[in-house]
Amino acid sequence: MQDEPTPEELTRAVADFLRNDIAPVLSGHNAFKLRVAINALDLVTRQLKLEERSDAAELVRLSQLLGQPGSLAELNHALADRIARGEADLQTPGLADHLWQTTMDKLAVDQPNYASYKRELGTK
Amino acid sequence: MQEALGRCVASWCPGAAGVTNVARLSGGASQETWSFDIGHPDGVIGAILRRAPQGHGASPRAVGLDVESILMQRAFDAGVPSPRVLHVLRPQDELGTGFIMARVEGETIPRKILRDAGFAQARPRLARQIGGILAAIHGLDLAQLPGLRRMTAAKEIDEMERDYRSFEWPRPVFALALRWLRERDPGPSREVTLVHGDFRHGNLIIGPDGVRAVLDWELAHGGDPMEDLGWVCVNSWRFGEIDKPVGGFGTRAELFAGYEAAGRRVDPDRVKYWEVMGTLRWGMMCCGMMQRFRIGPERSIERAMIGRRSSETEIDLLRLLAPRGK
């Protein structure tokens, strides 16, 4: 077991430092690149916070949908292959809901401010 | 750079008295853009150099800067808002391959175009104007243009399928979209025209009076004219204004009306089909950015983060193919 502070606390602290203390003294292209870097750290912080729970739920859904055990990567490969071969489609029970839930979980980490995501959060 | 540009300009611009304000503009990976001023007794001429960095292998989809300069000139001649091409680089210019064009003042940053007060008058007119511009582009005689690759939906799907496999990363939503596109392929277009291939925010210079220039003909090809109309409606180019499908500023009806007013016909089903194709295409391009980040040598954080935008296209694909609550 690793010690504290947690990775999430560390990435958050570094991002806040860059945002509050460093960003104001930079300009031009370096300021732009720093903004991108801060966005990357914020993404990592969200992933550290959310990934464990969403991965666990995704694994349960995939195992049920495919009727087989496996790792997240294996099952996602298997699902993508079935869809590509036409053996699973939007009529397959549970498939559309699974894709929606998985995609919403990705957006919560990648781009929680994306307008389509915010719209779908409200219309579930 | 300034010296080489000065020598080059002196060779084709009579009366030119040197160049000033030479500045590199974008950090484009496949091409460099430089801005500079040409001193002249009749007044300063604002100019842009677009060139390929030495020894950089072009993308197989790209037409090459020589062809790009010809397309831009033909578009200018046909009345498409377009920068005038001033000079095509020759080996003795020692500036690589590319061309010099007149600089057009205006804005390309989507958020400014969509939100700044200075563009408030232009915004309601843009979708219709863009329809007219696309009609003019599609009206250029393909037989008179340099050899362009011909694309069909089927070829496009094949290319994307190959790209998708090369990523070796499972994406069930992309697999679903590829399948959807194959099953609904409307077949080759009856009419094959010049297709700009990347007609969207970022490649349009816009002023308070509307579109002033169409840029970046790198992805031009021959194909279904409805492709350009679908691409400009892809949600990724709406920059938050998701209820205004054309670039975040207008409706499909306005776009179509502008297109048909110029004497061409719209096939709305094909436009919708190409919008789905375009959404997936942008998703693939995001994944490609991630590949380039990983392979290096330039480990750009920006590219890495664009890789993490591929999920935006997944939610947009689901909104198109499997809308909820219906």
Side-chain angles (χ1 to χ4, degrees), chain A residues 32 39-40 43 47 76-77 80 83-86 90 99-100 103 106-107 110-111 114-117 119-120, chain B residues 164 170-172 175-176 179 235 240 242-243 302 305 308-309 311-312 314-316 318-319 321-322 324:
Chain A
F32 168 75
N39 287 343
L43 185 153
Q47 182 158 341
N76 267 309
H77 271 296
I83 292 171
R85 288 195 301 266
L90 289 170
L99 294 180
W100 264 109
T103 302
K106 281 196 197 186
L107 267 296
D110 288 345
Q111 308 291 342
Y114 192 58
S116 305
Y117 172 71
R119 176 73 55 87
E120 292 295 335
Chain B
Y164 171 62
R171 290 182 170 274
L176 186 80
R179 183 93 194 168
N235 189 57
I242 60 176
D243 297 316
E302 199 187 347
M305 286 298 281
R308 279 296 188 107
R309 300 189 64 170
S311 54
E312 294 178 356
E314 292 181 331
I315 194 170
D316 288 331
L318 288 178
R319 278 166 65 81
L321 308 184
R324 297 195 296 183

Side-chain angles (χ1 to χ4, degrees), chain A residues 30-82:
Chain A
N30 276 334
F32 168 75
K33 280 165 79 173
L34 181 70
R35 250 194 338 270
V36 177
I38 292 169
N39 287 343
L41 282 173
D42 286 344
L43 185 153
V44 172
T45 305
R46 290 192 295 273
Q47 182 158 341
L48 288 168
K49 184 181 162 80
L50 301 171
E51 184 177 34
E52 199 175 332
R53 181 184 285 193
S54 65
D55 275 3
E58 185 180 349
L59 191 65
V60 170
R61 287 196 306 273
L62 280 167
S63 313
Q64 272 173 357
L65 205 55
L66 296 166
Q68 65 186 70
S71 71
L72 212 44
E74 285 163 356
L75 294 182
N76 267 309
H77 271 296
L79 177 61
D81 287 347
R82 278 197 203 180

Side-chain angles (χ1 to χ4, degrees), chain B residues 63 67 142 145-150:
Chain B
V63 294
V67 174
L142 198 54
L145 298 172
L148 296 171
R149 81 204 152 89
R150 295 294 159 97

Side-chain angles (χ1 to χ4, degrees), chain B residues 82-100:
Chain B
S82 201
R84 201 155 46 85
V85 176
L86 301 173
H87 177 72
V88 178
L89 296 181
R90 302 154 305 174
Q92 61 264 39
D93 292 323
E94 296 181 333
L95 283 165
T97 56
F99 59 93
I100 294 168

Side-chain angles (χ1 to χ4, degrees), chain B residues 47-235:
Chain B
I48 295 284
L49 164 70
R50 193 159 152 82
R51 70 165 186 173
Q54 309 272 335
H56 188 281
S59 140
R61 293 171 69 86
V63 294
L65 285 161
D66 47 342
V67 174
E68 222 182 300
S69 69
I70 296 169
L71 293 173
M72 202 172 256
Q73 188 60 50
R74 294 286 165 79
F76 178 86
D77 294 342
V80 173
S82 201
R84 201 155 46 85
V85 176
L86 301 173
H87 177 72
V88 178
L89 296 181
R90 302 154 305 174
Q92 61 264 39
D93 292 323
E94 296 181 333
L95 283 165
T97 56
F99 59 93
I100 294 168
M101 58 185 158
R103 190 169 66 230
V104 176
E105 303 299 334
E107 188 56 75
T108 58
I109 298 170
R111 284 182 199 282
K112 292 193 177 168
I113 294 162
L114 294 181
R115 310 223 198 316
D116 282 6
F119 300 96
Q121 304 275 311
R123 278 193 291 270
R125 296 201 305 262
L126 283 174
R128 192 183 164 95
Q129 191 193 2
I130 275 174
I133 292 170
L134 283 172
I137 290 173
H138 298 159
L140 289 174
D141 184 0
L142 198 54
Q144 301 288 311
L145 298 172
L148 296 171
R149 81 204 152 89
R150 295 294 159 97
M151 285 303 287
T152 59
K155 274 201 229 174
E156 186 79 19
I157 297 166
D158 285 344
E159 278 191 10
M160 286 202 286
E161 191 124 33
R162 216 169 35 241
D163 288 349
Y164 171 62
R165 293 235 170 83
S166 76
F167 300 145
E168 296 179 327
W169 188 263
R171 290 182 170 274
V173 175
F174 281 8
L176 186 80
L178 282 166
R179 183 93 194 168
W180 188 96
L181 288 164
R182 263 210 206 291
E183 284 170 353
R184 285 163 185 78
D185 180 354
S189 170
R190 252 182 300 145
E191 191 193 16
V192 173
T193 70
L194 171 65
V195 175
H196 179 280
D198 201 10
F199 194 96
R200 59 167 172 90
H201 273 302
N203 292 335
L204 300 171
I205 296 181
I206 294 176
D209 48 338
V211 178
R212 291 179 176 171
V214 178
L215 304 175
D216 206 338
W217 293 78
E218 200 176 356
L219 297 176
H221 56 272
D224 183 350
M226 296 303 110
E227 180 186 339
D228 277 333
L229 278 71
W231 182 242
V232 79
C233 291
V234 167
N235 189 57

